[in-house]
Amino acid sequence: RKDNSLDLEKLTASTPLKTELLKYLRAFDAHTVGAAYPVIGAKLYPEKTGENSKDAMKQSGYRAANTGKNLVEGGYKTLLKFW
């Protein structure tokens, strides 16, 4: 995938969905109000902060915010198939 976001079509019921979906929506909200991707990544994945570089946190934050954006823009409809 070009944008590195989560492929909603590949999610299954066994995926730890609720926790991750909440993170994605929080990331989208944070980015919408101006939070930088590295900050978003560090807040959502604090367990990885010490072992990863700022660039890795930026990538994690970008991926989460972009996935949240996809959900907000209608991607959530794809998830309804699993419930």
Side-chain angles (χ1 to χ4, degrees):
R1 290 182 53 96
K2 187 178 182 181
D3 61 12
N4 281 333
S5 65
L6 177 69
D7 187 354
L8 296 176
E9 295 291 336
K10 292 183 180 178
L11 285 176
T12 65
S14 64
T15 305
L17 225 37
K18 287 182 183 178
T19 303
E20 289 304 304
L21 290 175
L22 290 174
K23 284 182 180 182
Y24 301 145
L25 294 173
R26 285 179 59 208
F28 175 71
D29 286 344
H31 182 65
T32 300
V33 297
Y37 291 127
V39 174
I40 294 169
K43 290 288 185 181
L44 292 179
Y45 305 103
E47 68 280 0
K48 297 180 180 180
T49 309
E51 63 193 55
N52 290 324
S53 68
K54 185 176 178 180
D55 192 46
M57 287 292 101
K58 181 179 179 181
Q59 184 66 16
S60 295
Y62 170 79
R63 189 176 300 119
N66 196 47
T67 300
K69 179 183 177 195
N70 290 339
L71 288 169
V72 169
E73 292 178 345
Y76 68 91
K77 292 175 185 175
T78 303
L79 296 174
L80 294 177
K81 291 190 271 184
F82 302 110
W83 277 296

